[in-house]
Amino acid sequence: MRLRINDNDLEVEVFGADDAPVLIAHHGAPGLGSRAEPRATFAPFADTFRVIVFDARGSGVSEGNPPFSHEQWVADVDGLREWAGVESFVMAGGSYGGFISMEYAIRHPSRVRALVLRDTSADHENDKAARENALSSTRVTIDVPKFDRINDGTVWDDDDLRDCWREILPLYDHVYDPAKVIEKVEATPYRYQTHNYAFSVNIPNYDIKDQLHKITCPTLVTVGRDDWITPVASSEIIASMIPNARLVVFEKSGHSPQVEEAELWRQTVRAFLNEVGADDR
Protein backbone atom coordinates (compact mmCIF):
# COMPACT_ATOMS: atom_id res chain seq x y z
CA MET A 1 0.00 0.00 0.00
CA ARG A 2 0.98 3.63 -0.40
CA LEU A 3 0.97 5.75 2.78
CA ARG A 4 1.54 9.46 3.17
CA ILE A 5 3.96 9.80 6.08
CA ASN A 6 5.45 13.21 6.94
CA ASP A 7 4.65 14.63 3.48
CA ASN A 8 6.28 11.72 1.66
CA ASP A 9 4.68 8.65 0.09
CA LEU A 10 6.07 5.39 1.48
CA GLU A 11 5.54 1.95 -0.02
CA VAL A 12 4.42 -0.25 2.88
CA GLU A 13 3.47 -3.90 3.37
CA VAL A 14 1.75 -5.36 6.42
CA PHE A 15 1.56 -9.00 7.48
CA GLY A 16 -0.30 -10.58 10.38
CA ALA A 17 -3.40 -9.96 12.46
CA ASP A 18 -4.57 -6.40 13.13
CA ASP A 19 -4.65 -7.00 16.88
CA ALA A 20 -1.20 -8.60 17.13
CA PRO A 21 1.76 -6.73 18.66
CA VAL A 22 3.50 -4.61 16.03
CA LEU A 23 7.00 -5.18 14.68
CA ILE A 24 8.46 -2.54 12.35
CA ALA A 25 11.56 -3.60 10.39
CA HIS A 26 13.88 -1.11 8.69
CA HIS A 27 16.00 -2.14 5.71
CA GLY A 28 19.64 -1.17 5.27
CA ALA A 29 21.64 0.53 2.51
CA PRO A 30 19.80 3.80 1.73
CA GLY A 31 19.46 4.12 -2.03
CA LEU A 32 20.19 0.40 -2.49
CA GLY A 33 18.02 -1.40 0.07
CA SER A 34 14.29 -1.92 0.03
CA ARG A 35 11.51 -3.66 1.94
CA ALA A 36 12.39 -6.90 0.11
CA GLU A 37 14.96 -7.99 2.72
CA PRO A 38 12.90 -7.29 5.87
CA ARG A 39 9.87 -8.80 4.14
CA ALA A 40 11.73 -12.06 3.56
CA THR A 41 13.20 -11.94 7.05
CA PHE A 42 10.20 -10.98 9.14
CA ALA A 43 7.10 -12.06 7.18
CA PRO A 44 7.40 -15.50 8.88
CA PHE A 45 6.90 -13.68 12.20
CA ALA A 46 3.38 -12.73 11.10
CA ASP A 47 2.04 -15.73 13.00
CA THR A 48 2.79 -13.75 16.17
CA PHE A 49 3.24 -10.11 15.15
CA ARG A 50 1.69 -7.51 12.90
CA VAL A 51 4.79 -7.04 10.76
CA ILE A 52 5.28 -3.72 8.97
CA VAL A 53 7.99 -3.37 6.32
CA PHE A 54 8.52 -0.43 4.01
CA ASP A 55 10.77 1.29 1.51
CA ALA A 56 12.34 4.16 3.43
CA ARG A 57 12.16 7.70 2.11
CA GLY A 58 14.33 7.86 -1.02
CA SER A 59 14.75 4.07 -1.33
CA GLY A 60 12.99 1.32 -3.26
CA VAL A 61 9.85 2.76 -4.85
CA SER A 62 9.00 5.23 -2.09
CA GLU A 63 8.92 8.92 -2.84
CA GLY A 64 12.21 10.73 -2.36
CA ASN A 65 11.54 14.09 -0.79
CA PRO A 66 14.64 15.21 1.12
CA PRO A 67 16.13 15.40 3.65
CA PHE A 68 17.64 11.91 3.79
CA SER A 69 18.81 12.44 7.34
CA HIS A 70 18.73 10.06 10.29
CA GLU A 71 16.40 12.47 12.07
CA GLN A 72 13.94 12.34 9.18
CA TRP A 73 14.09 8.56 8.83
CA VAL A 74 13.48 8.20 12.58
CA ALA A 75 10.50 10.56 12.28
CA ASP A 76 9.14 8.43 9.44
CA VAL A 77 9.31 5.32 11.63
CA ASP A 78 7.33 7.16 14.28
CA GLY A 79 4.84 8.19 11.64
CA LEU A 80 4.34 4.53 10.77
CA ARG A 81 3.84 3.75 14.46
CA GLU A 82 1.17 6.44 14.65
CA TRP A 83 -0.51 5.08 11.51
CA ALA A 84 -0.49 1.58 13.06
CA GLY A 85 -2.27 3.00 16.10
CA VAL A 86 0.05 1.59 18.76
CA GLU A 87 1.90 3.14 21.67
CA SER A 88 4.83 0.72 21.53
CA PHE A 89 6.28 -1.90 19.20
CA VAL A 90 9.27 -4.09 18.40
CA MET A 91 11.89 -2.23 16.36
CA ALA A 92 14.18 -4.24 14.08
CA GLY A 93 16.92 -3.21 11.70
CA GLY A 94 19.99 -4.57 9.99
CA SER A 95 23.12 -2.79 8.77
CA TYR A 96 22.20 0.87 8.11
CA GLY A 97 18.69 -0.02 9.28
CA GLY A 98 20.31 -0.79 12.61
CA PHE A 99 21.59 2.81 12.76
CA ILE A 100 18.04 4.10 12.41
CA SER A 101 16.64 1.51 14.81
CA MET A 102 19.10 2.47 17.54
CA GLU A 103 18.50 6.16 16.98
CA TYR A 104 14.75 5.59 17.20
CA ALA A 105 15.18 3.74 20.51
CA ILE A 106 17.39 6.57 21.80
CA ARG A 107 14.88 9.28 20.84
CA HIS A 108 11.76 7.33 21.83
CA PRO A 109 12.74 4.85 24.55
CA SER A 110 9.19 4.39 25.86
CA ARG A 111 7.95 3.40 22.38
CA VAL A 112 10.20 0.36 21.92
CA ARG A 113 9.19 -2.93 23.55
CA ALA A 114 12.29 -4.71 22.26
CA LEU A 115 15.08 -3.98 19.81
CA VAL A 116 16.49 -6.50 17.30
CA LEU A 117 19.73 -5.51 15.60
CA ARG A 118 21.68 -7.30 12.91
CA ASP A 119 25.19 -6.61 11.58
CA THR A 120 25.35 -2.93 12.43
CA SER A 121 27.52 -0.31 14.11
CA ALA A 122 27.21 2.60 16.55
CA ASP A 123 29.77 4.76 14.73
CA HIS A 124 31.71 4.87 11.46
CA GLU A 125 34.92 3.39 12.81
CA ASN A 126 34.07 0.15 11.02
CA ASP A 127 34.98 1.92 7.76
CA LYS A 128 38.66 1.38 8.48
CA ALA A 129 38.30 -2.37 9.00
CA ALA A 130 35.95 -2.63 6.01
CA ARG A 131 38.49 -1.01 3.72
CA GLU A 132 41.26 -3.30 4.98
CA ASN A 133 39.03 -6.35 4.54
CA ALA A 134 38.03 -5.32 1.03
CA LEU A 135 41.53 -4.61 -0.20
CA SER A 136 42.93 -7.83 1.29
CA SER A 137 40.15 -10.06 -0.04
CA THR A 138 41.18 -13.08 -2.09
CA ARG A 139 37.74 -13.32 -3.73
CA VAL A 140 38.05 -10.27 -5.93
CA THR A 141 40.54 -7.57 -6.80
CA ILE A 142 38.78 -4.39 -5.75
CA ASP A 143 38.63 -1.46 -8.15
CA VAL A 144 39.71 1.17 -5.62
CA PRO A 145 38.11 4.23 -7.29
CA LYS A 146 34.75 2.42 -7.40
CA PHE A 147 35.16 1.30 -3.80
CA ASP A 148 35.90 4.86 -2.75
CA ARG A 149 32.95 6.32 -4.66
CA ILE A 150 30.40 4.00 -3.09
CA ASN A 151 31.98 4.26 0.36
CA ASP A 152 32.31 8.06 0.27
CA GLY A 153 28.95 8.78 -1.35
CA THR A 154 30.31 10.26 -4.54
CA VAL A 155 28.83 7.94 -7.20
CA TRP A 156 27.94 9.68 -10.46
CA ASP A 157 24.47 8.31 -11.20
CA ASP A 158 22.33 5.16 -10.83
CA ASP A 159 24.39 3.28 -13.41
CA ASP A 160 27.59 4.07 -11.56
CA LEU A 161 26.01 3.04 -8.26
CA ARG A 162 25.10 -0.27 -9.88
CA ASP A 163 28.69 -0.78 -11.08
CA CYS A 164 30.15 0.10 -7.69
CA TRP A 165 27.65 -2.16 -5.92
CA ARG A 166 28.60 -5.04 -8.21
CA GLU A 167 32.23 -4.43 -7.26
CA ILE A 168 31.75 -5.01 -3.51
CA LEU A 169 28.90 -7.53 -3.40
CA PRO A 170 31.23 -10.58 -3.52
CA LEU A 171 32.51 -9.57 -0.08
CA TYR A 172 29.22 -9.91 1.77
CA ASP A 173 28.49 -13.62 2.13
CA HIS A 174 30.15 -16.39 4.14
CA VAL A 175 30.20 -18.52 0.98
CA TYR A 176 30.82 -16.67 -2.27
CA ASP A 177 28.35 -17.54 -5.02
CA PRO A 178 28.88 -15.49 -8.22
CA ALA A 179 25.39 -16.36 -9.48
CA LYS A 180 23.80 -14.90 -6.34
CA VAL A 181 25.83 -11.74 -6.79
CA ILE A 182 24.40 -11.31 -10.28
CA GLU A 183 20.87 -11.89 -8.94
CA LYS A 184 21.36 -9.23 -6.25
CA VAL A 185 22.74 -6.73 -8.74
CA GLU A 186 19.69 -7.21 -10.97
CA ALA A 187 17.19 -7.09 -8.08
CA THR A 188 18.52 -3.91 -6.45
CA PRO A 189 16.60 -0.62 -6.87
CA TYR A 190 19.19 2.13 -7.41
CA ARG A 191 18.67 5.63 -5.96
CA TYR A 192 22.08 7.28 -6.10
CA GLN A 193 21.08 10.64 -4.60
CA THR A 194 19.84 8.97 -1.42
CA HIS A 195 22.96 6.83 -1.23
CA ASN A 196 25.28 9.77 -1.74
CA TYR A 197 23.64 11.84 0.98
CA ALA A 198 23.73 8.95 3.44
CA PHE A 199 27.41 8.23 2.90
CA SER A 200 28.80 11.73 2.29
CA VAL A 201 26.76 13.64 4.90
CA ASN A 202 25.30 11.24 7.48
CA ILE A 203 28.07 8.69 7.95
CA PRO A 204 31.01 11.06 8.56
CA ASN A 205 29.06 12.54 11.49
CA TYR A 206 27.64 9.28 12.80
CA ASP A 207 28.65 8.29 16.33
CA ILE A 208 25.98 7.41 18.89
CA LYS A 209 28.08 5.42 21.33
CA ASP A 210 27.67 7.98 24.08
CA GLN A 211 23.88 7.76 23.72
CA LEU A 212 23.46 3.98 23.76
CA HIS A 213 22.84 4.01 27.52
CA LYS A 214 19.52 5.74 26.76
CA ILE A 215 18.18 2.57 25.15
CA THR A 216 16.16 1.00 27.93
CA CYS A 217 14.42 -1.89 26.20
CA PRO A 218 15.68 -5.48 25.94
CA THR A 219 18.04 -5.62 22.96
CA LEU A 220 19.27 -8.51 20.84
CA VAL A 221 22.45 -7.84 18.86
CA THR A 222 23.18 -10.38 16.11
CA VAL A 223 26.11 -10.53 13.71
CA GLY A 224 27.80 -12.91 11.28
CA ARG A 225 31.29 -14.05 12.22
CA ASP A 226 32.66 -13.18 8.75
CA ASP A 227 30.97 -9.81 8.33
CA TRP A 228 33.48 -7.70 6.39
CA ILE A 229 31.78 -4.31 6.65
CA THR A 230 30.36 -4.19 10.20
CA PRO A 231 32.64 -6.72 11.92
CA VAL A 232 31.90 -8.55 15.14
CA ALA A 233 33.82 -5.92 17.08
CA SER A 234 31.19 -3.33 16.12
CA SER A 235 28.42 -5.47 17.60
CA GLU A 236 30.48 -6.19 20.69
CA ILE A 237 30.70 -2.45 21.35
CA ILE A 238 26.94 -2.04 20.96
CA ALA A 239 26.15 -4.97 23.25
CA SER A 240 28.55 -3.68 25.90
CA MET A 241 27.05 -0.17 25.93
CA ILE A 242 23.30 -0.88 25.83
CA PRO A 243 22.28 -1.73 29.41
CA ASN A 244 19.98 -4.66 28.67
CA ALA A 245 21.60 -6.17 25.59
CA ARG A 246 22.83 -9.58 24.58
CA LEU A 247 25.08 -10.57 21.69
CA VAL A 248 24.74 -13.63 19.44
CA VAL A 249 27.37 -14.37 16.81
CA PHE A 250 26.46 -16.62 13.87
CA GLU A 251 29.51 -18.63 12.95
CA LYS A 252 28.60 -19.53 9.36
CA SER A 253 27.51 -16.12 8.15
CA GLY A 254 28.85 -12.93 6.68
CA HIS A 255 26.77 -9.74 6.69
CA SER A 256 23.44 -11.59 6.48
CA PRO A 257 22.89 -14.35 9.06
CA GLN A 258 19.13 -13.87 8.57
CA VAL A 259 19.73 -15.38 5.11
CA GLU A 260 22.78 -17.60 5.52
CA GLU A 261 21.60 -19.20 8.78
CA ALA A 262 17.96 -18.28 8.42
CA GLU A 263 16.38 -20.98 10.56
CA LEU A 264 18.79 -20.54 13.45
CA TRP A 265 18.53 -16.76 13.23
CA ARG A 266 14.72 -16.82 13.32
CA GLN A 267 14.74 -19.29 16.22
CA THR A 268 17.11 -17.01 18.13
CA VAL A 269 14.99 -13.92 17.53
CA ARG A 270 11.73 -15.69 18.35
CA ALA A 271 13.14 -17.06 21.59
CA PHE A 272 14.40 -13.62 22.60
CA LEU A 273 11.13 -11.85 21.83
CA ASN A 274 9.17 -14.49 23.70
CA GLU A 275 11.51 -14.40 26.70
CA VAL A 276 11.22 -10.63 27.10
CA GLY A 277 7.44 -10.65 26.61
CA ALA A 278 7.52 -8.59 23.41
CA ASP A 279 5.03 -10.96 21.78
CA ASP A 280 2.39 -10.47 24.50
CA ARG A 281 -0.90 -9.04 23.28
Side-chain angles (χ1 to χ4, degrees):
M1 69 182 77
R2 205 78 171 167
L3 295 179
R4 192 74 176 169
I5 302 292
N6 296 327
D7 297 320
N8 192 86
D9 286 347
L10 298 182
E11 191 71 16
V12 180
E13 291 184 81
V14 182
F15 307 90
D18 289 345
D19 62 346
V22 167
L23 184 155
I24 299 178
H26 203 296
H27 65 77
L32 288 165
S34 73
R35 68 191 187 282
E37 181 274 314
R39 178 178 60 211
T41 300
F42 287 102
F45 288 74
D47 57 356
T48 306
F49 293 91
R50 186 184 182 199
V51 176
I52 300 175
V53 300
F54 64 105
D55 290 345
R57 176 185 299 254
S59 291
V61 296
S62 285
E63 195 174 8
N65 294 321
F68 305 126
S69 63
H70 289 194
E71 182 178 8
Q72 184 61 65
W73 283 324
V74 166
D76 291 345
V77 171
D78 204 51
L80 284 170
R81 177 199 61 78
E82 290 181 352
W83 171 82
V86 296
E87 292 298 314
S88 63
F89 64 99
V90 174
M91 183 78 227
S95 196
Y96 205 113
F99 303 174
I100 306 306
S101 297
M102 286 185 284
E103 292 206 31
Y104 185 92
I106 288 167
R107 292 172 185 265
H108 305 284
S110 65
R111 298 293 191 193
V112 186
R113 303 178 70 173
L115 181 62
V116 178
L117 302 173
R118 191 264 307 159
D119 295 83
T120 191
S121 179
D123 59 25
H124 62 275
E125 287 300 309
N126 61 292
D127 286 350
K128 297 174 184 176
R131 185 180 183 84
E132 291 175 3
N133 291 336
L135 296 181
S136 64
S137 173
T138 58
R139 292 183 178 180
V140 289
T141 300
I142 293 295
D143 182 315
V144 176
K146 288 182 179 179
F147 180 88
D148 287 341
R149 289 202 300 278
I150 195 168
N151 197 53
D152 297 340
T154 56
V155 299
W156 305 325
D157 51 30
D158 285 344
D159 288 338
D160 188 45
L161 180 56
R162 177 191 178 100
D163 288 343
C164 295
W165 184 228
R166 184 191 294 112
E167 188 73 20
I168 65 173
L169 264 177
L171 303 171
Y172 277 83
D173 293 336
H174 177 70
V175 177
Y176 174 39
D177 183 340
K180 286 186 178 180
V181 167
I182 293 172
E183 288 178 12
K184 290 177 182 177
V185 170
E186 295 301 320
T188 297
Y190 297 95
R191 306 279 293 271
Y192 84 97
Q193 292 170 315
T194 309
H195 170 86
N196 278 355
Y197 191 94
F199 282 83
S200 66
V201 178
N202 297 343
I203 291 297
N205 299 303
Y206 175 66
D207 187 344
I208 58 171
K209 293 193 302 296
D210 64 349
Q211 299 181 66
L212 291 179
H213 69 278
K214 297 178 183 178
I215 298 177
T216 57
C217 65
T219 300
L220 176 65
V221 184
T222 67
V223 62
R225 175 64 70 187
D226 294 335
D227 189 340
W228 76 280
I229 192 166
T230 49
V232 172
S234 296
S235 288
E236 290 174 337
I237 290 171
I238 294 169
S240 71
M241 300 186 80
I242 295 178
N244 192 14
R246 68 185 68 173
L247 173 66
V248 180
V249 179
F250 291 81
E251 299 294 338
K252 298 178 181 179
S253 293
H255 192 62
S256 301
Q258 83 285 8
V259 174
E260 296 186 278
E261 297 180 79
E263 183 175 355
L264 178 59
W265 192 88
R266 286 196 298 267
Q267 289 174 352
T268 302
V269 173
R270 282 185 184 275
F272 165 74
L273 293 175
N274 178 259
E275 179 186 334
V276 302
D279 55 2
D280 293 343
R281 296 195 179 216

